[in-house]
Structures are given as C-alpha cells and as structure tokens.
Amino acid sequence: MSAAGSPDLPVATVEIPEYVQPPDKSSLPLVFTAPRRGKPPVHWADLDAAARRTAVEQAGHRAYRARQISAHYFEGLRSDPDTWTDLPAGVRGELASAFMPPLLTSVRELTCDDGDTVKNLWRLHDGALVESVLMRYPDRVTMCVSSQAGCGMACPFCATGQGGLQRNMSTAEIVEQVVDGARKLAHGHFGDDEPGAAPRVSNVVFMGMGEPLANYKAVVGALRQLTTPKPDGLGMSARGITVSTVGLVPRIHQLSEEGLPVTLALSLHAPDDELRDELVPVNTRWNVDEVVDAAWEYARTTRRRVSIEYILIRDVNDQPERAEQLAKVLKRRGSWGWVHVNLIPLNPTPGSRWTASRRRDEDEFVRRLQARGMPVTVRDTRGREIDGACGQLAAGSADVDASITAPPARARV
Ligand code: SAH
C-alpha cells in the first residue's frame, strides 16, 4: 500500500490496527515525502523562546508571560491553566487555548513488566494513530517515541513499515509524548509516593513509529525542545537521546552538524547488499558501505559511539558467516571504538514468514562478534506482551541506551 494511496485514517477507533504483511513485499514503494494533510495546530512546544515571546505579545500580553508559561509547561508539566496561578485569572484560559491545543488523545494504555512498562496508543487531531512506550529500569527511565504516523521505509519485517506512511508528526506532537511520560512519573505512576522521589525521563529513543530522518525538521525541532535548558525546554542531556534510522545518508551528515550530540542508531540488519536490499529497501539508495561510512563519520564528528541495530531472523541473517562479515564491515573503518552492536531478537509481525533466531544461533552470532573484539549486547525485549498488533514498537523501544561497555546483556521479559 503506498502512502499516497492510503485510505482515510480510522477516526475514533479504539482498536489497535491489524497489520498483515502483503504476500509480495517487494511491491511496497519507498516513500520519502509525507502526504500533505491538515497540519496539527501550532503548540507552545513548536516555538522557540523568541517566537513564544512574539506570539504572546501578538496576543496582547507582556512578553515576560512567555517565560511563565514555559515554566508551567516544561518545568511544572502543567498545561491546565487553572494551575497557572502567577498569571491573571482572566487571561489564563485564553493563553492556554491559544498555545496548548490538545494534540494527543489517549486511545488505550497498556501496562506490563510488573508495571514498569507502559505503552500508549494516541489519536492525533486528524485521527492518525501513533504509539509511545515508557520503560522504567533500575537506573533510568526511557521514553520511546514515534516521529511519523506510519512509515514509508517499507521494511518487510516491520509492522509499521508494512502499513505505509500516513503523515509526518509535528515537533510538538513528538515532544508531547515525552511530556506525557514525564507527567506520569511526576504523578507517581510507578508508585513513587515520596515527594521528590519520582524519577525523571532520562532517555528518549526515536524507535517508535516512523523514520525520524525522513521527518528531519520536526525531529530536530523536537531534539532542541528536549535539550534546551529549563524553563525554555525540558533540559535533557543529548547523551540520553537516541535517533534510530534506516540510513538516510545525507540526513545523517546533516544531523552530525546540528551541534546536538545525540546517539545515532543505524538499523543495519545485514552486512551485505544483497540481503540488506531485501530487509531494508532503502539500501537500494544508500548501500551498506555508504551507510556505514556515514555512521562512522557521525561518530567522528560528534564523538558519540554509534549503535548498530541488527535484528536476528532465523536462517535469514543469523549465520556465523554473516557475523564474520558484519565484524569485517565495521572493522574496516578503523578501530572498534566508534561502534557497538545491538542484536535484537525479531519480534514477528502477524502473518510473518520469519521468526526469531534459535538460541544457539544467537549465541554463536554473539560469540563470533566478541571473538573479534566487537562490543555487543543482546536487546532486552521489554513490552513484548503488550505489543498488540504493532509488532514494532515494543521491539524497537528497548535498551539501546544500555551502557556501551556492558557485557552482553540478556534480560528477557
Ligand atoms: N525507522 C527507524 C526507527 C523506528 S524502528 C529505524 O528503522 O531505525 C526502531 C527499531 O525497531 C529498528 O531497528 C527496526 O529495525 C526495529 N524493528 C522494526 N520491526 C521489528 C520487529 N518486528 N522485530 C524487531 N525489531 C524491529
């Protein structure tokens, strides 16, 4: 199904959509440009500090009100104007309805891992559905966000990719997913009842729906909102943020020049062009050599270690020779210092002809990489039981931010 030809999005449905893989996967086109749809309303989190002051002035108020509103939104996580007690009661409602339009409506919330993983299905203003996942670990809290409704990259193992692209998300739609997670934590969602004991969102991974670098402007806008110090932004460290991509080479270069040293995750999934052409169709545009070069350049420019994502699919890409080949492809660019391999057990989508690797093949794959000195982890599969029909988000939302020096981790859930 091409995105351009996709039917109207379901409105007011409470079902997670069922995705079924079409028999001929090669027929899905790559879609780089999102179809134009009605834009979501502009929100406070779409604007930078200067634009906020201007907007407040244009609405007939003093510019310093902007800072007060930002403090409520980014520091206090409050968008309910009744709580904005330092603003005159008469203007609160007007400012809130001008600048805080509701962007995400909760359709469903699912919890698993003893309450430590919460997945949300959201409906956007035009009915498009997206997902986010909040995961609590002993030492951090990771928020996995969507950057597009659907995806145009057509990877055959990925449920979102098989559904086509509906539209790009706006900066504020992306930021609001993180703000929601931060609110859940602040309100004791994980049972932290001592005041001040609640953890903060320490990590954000762009591993939900969509190809972040195909929605470049809005994603970089969101990265700025997340990393701008409080009260004008959420004040997160760029080190805690990971942008995952199929490998849009020009955009990887562009991202390395933004002065935002976020971690790059490259979804490689195969070390050879023949197989990667099939698993990650964008490989026909930018091949293995080109994406690995771009990732290496990214690591060199930003001094951030790149994470290579490699799904393990039984008898497809998990052979010992491929492990050797993978090590060779990555080693060619110099030492191991720039890279870390994150192996992901495939989470099969409904109707998929593929399944996860056998345990012994997975172990052998890890052993081969380690024997060559490669830093490697096997991804924790948080949230699998609440994966629903998506097939992607829970698998894509795990532990890339695990310490890159950690030994292979195995925390199956
Ligand atoms: N488009 C981006 C980010 C979203 S997907 C990208 O491809 O990197 C996030 C991660 O989840 C990617 O590494 C993707 O390959 C992986 N993924 C998608 N479907 C999966 C599945 N069925 N099982 C396991 N991982 C999957």
Side-chain angles (χ1 to χ4, degrees), residues 23-289:
D24 178 9
K25 299 178 179 73
S26 60
S27 63
L28 269 180
L30 284 167
V31 180
F32 292 96
T33 314
R36 290 196 179 279
R37 303 174 68 98
K39 286 204 167 178
V42 174
H43 185 279
W44 199 247
D46 286 309
L47 310 174
D48 64 18
R52 287 176 194 145
R53 280 193 299 275
T54 309
V56 166
E57 280 182 326
Q58 280 172 352
H61 304 283
R62 304 288 296 278
Y64 71 88
R65 298 281 180 216
R67 203 175 160 84
Q68 292 176 308
I69 298 172
S70 286
H72 285 301
Y73 181 71
F74 289 111
E75 276 187 316
L77 307 168
R78 294 181 291 268
S79 52
D80 174 1
D82 290 344
T83 63
W84 298 357
T85 48
D86 53 349
L87 280 99
V91 305
R92 291 178 206 160
E94 174 206 323
L95 287 168
S97 50
F99 300 123
M100 308 267 166
L103 298 178
L104 310 180
T105 307
S106 180
V107 173
R108 181 179 283 183
E109 185 171 302
L110 301 161
T111 300
C112 72
D113 302 324
D114 285 336
D116 281 345
T117 302
V118 186
K119 176 170 174 173
N120 272 94
L121 178 67
W122 302 107
R123 187 167 51 245
L124 307 182
H125 80 106
D126 57 353
L129 297 173
V130 298
E131 298 172 346
S132 61
V133 186
L134 183 66
M135 289 160 287
R136 181 173 184 175
Y137 297 89
D139 57 338
R140 66 190 186 283
V141 177
T142 299
M143 185 80 220
C144 175
V145 296
S146 295
S147 56
Q148 296 181 307
C151 185
M153 295 298 110
C155 300
F157 54 83
C158 169
T160 307
Q162 292 304 298
L165 176 63
Q166 279 101 57
R167 72 164 168 88
N168 281 331
M169 294 177 75
S170 66
T171 288
E173 285 173 331
I174 298 168
V175 173
E176 278 269 86
Q177 295 169 70
V178 182
V179 168
D180 176 78
R183 273 192 195 122
K184 282 190 169 74
L185 293 170
H187 296 162
H189 200 89
F190 291 126
D192 306 276
D193 28 37
E194 269 176 59
R200 295 177 316 116
V201 176
S202 51
N203 299 75
V204 172
V205 296
F206 284 74
M207 293 194 173
M209 292 178 163
E211 167 49 45
L213 298 189
N215 183 18
Y216 188 84
K217 211 169 148 220
V219 166
V220 168
L223 296 176
R224 295 204 188 285
Q225 301 284 353
L226 299 181
T227 55
T228 296
K230 290 178 175 177
D232 293 325
L234 276 175
M236 293 185 62
S237 161
R239 304 177 73 83
I241 301 175
T242 298
V243 173
S244 180
T245 179
V246 288
L248 308 186
V249 165
R251 296 304 197 186
I252 293 175
H253 290 313
Q254 199 177 344
L255 187 64
S256 71
E257 302 296 333
E258 298 283 355
L260 286 163
V262 295
T263 299
L264 183 76
L266 171 64
S267 296
L268 195 62
H269 306 326
D272 55 297
D273 286 323
E274 196 185 345
L275 181 57
R276 193 165 190 266
D277 280 350
E278 187 188 349
L279 296 182
V280 187
V282 81
N283 196 67
T284 55
R285 276 296 170 102
W286 295 284
N287 65 24
V288 170
D289 265 356

